[in-house]
Amino acid sequence: MTPIVVGRGLACRRGAHTVLRGVDLSVGAGQCLALCGANGSGRTTLLEVLSTLRAPGAGTLEINGIDAVRSPRRARVHVALASADVTRGDGLTVREYLRIVHDARGGAGAAPALEVAGALERARLRGEVPVDQLSRGQLAQLALTTALMVRPPLVLLDDPFASLDPEARTRFIDWIVRSEEHTSELQSLAYLVCRL
């Protein structure tokens, strides 16, 4: 099985503190890897490095065959990070936000991007609501919807269910794992889940 993401000797600092040191990982299509650890152990930092939002201080990173350290923009289209902390609306409605992401990223995934209307219905999000007015739980739902809608080869989930109510949690777990229509997609995707 060809790995979708391979990291070797990844290291990262935040200020004077070394957050990651010598991290090795390899995740192939159809695999799911959960990261566990205490608060401050570097889980979110690792996901930021893997999503190319933060450059590693050392080590190598390959995403879908692309050197993500040398070419982060080329690698970035093969990754989606679902994190409520990085979702900003800047005056857009939920529908506008999803449309922009769909149009920008729809062609890069392992499968054709789910249409915005279908994603809104599946997530049970209201498209006319401004993103900046969403609650933390709704932002988490939007982040998950965005990542699952574009269907990139690598999906990174940072604390994906912490802010979700039980109904939303069940809905997104079904979308990610149990839905029959996505069974074939799971064979071509890799999930890295932080803090289940």
Side-chain angles (χ1 to χ4, degrees):
M1 178 182 307
T2 304
I4 289 178
V5 59
V6 178
R8 295 285 179 251
L10 293 173
C12 192
R13 297 179 62 83
R14 283 188 183 258
H17 302 287
T18 299
V19 181
L20 302 175
R21 180 182 301 126
V23 176
D24 295 332
L25 61 87
S26 177
V27 182
Q31 291 186 313
C32 179
L33 174 67
L35 304 175
C36 300
N39 289 338
S41 62
R43 297 172 308 224
T44 295
T45 301
L46 178 58
L47 293 184
E48 290 173 351
V49 168
L50 296 176
S51 66
T52 72
L53 293 178
R54 178 181 296 275
T60 62
L61 177 61
E62 193 172 286
I63 297 172
N64 217 22
I66 298 168
D67 183 335
V69 176
R70 290 188 178 162
S71 303
R73 288 191 174 124
R74 279 188 51 227
R76 192 170 295 147
V77 299
H78 299 275
V79 181
L81 171 62
S83 172
D85 294 334
V86 297
T87 304
R88 293 182 36 207
D90 294 323
L92 297 172
T93 66
V94 169
R95 185 180 315 280
E96 291 167 337
Y97 181 90
L98 290 175
R99 172 57 61 200
I100 288 170
V101 173
H102 178 275
D103 291 349
R105 301 279 306 270
L114 185 64
E115 290 298 322
V116 171
L120 284 169
E121 181 179 338
R122 188 155 199 163
R124 296 189 191 157
L125 288 171
R126 292 179 27 231
E128 68 280 0
V129 177
V131 171
D132 298 324
Q133 293 179 12
L134 296 177
S135 69
R136 181 154 177 81
Q138 291 168 325
L139 282 173
Q141 290 181 59
L142 179 59
L144 281 165
T145 300
T146 303
L148 297 173
M149 177 185 72
V150 298
R151 300 175 184 166
L154 178 61
V155 178
L156 307 173
L157 307 175
D158 188 6
D159 208 358
F161 309 122
S163 301
L164 301 186
D165 60 53
E167 181 185 333
R169 188 173 297 152
T170 300
R171 189 167 56 252
F172 280 99
I173 288 172
D174 179 63
W175 191 349
I176 292 168
V177 178
R178 296 188 197 120
S179 174
E180 288 182 26
E181 69 185 84
H182 292 293
T183 302
S184 62
E185 290 169 25
L186 289 175
Q187 295 171 3
S188 64
L189 300 179
Y191 285 88
L192 234 139
V193 183
C194 182
R195 289 179 276 186
L196 280 172

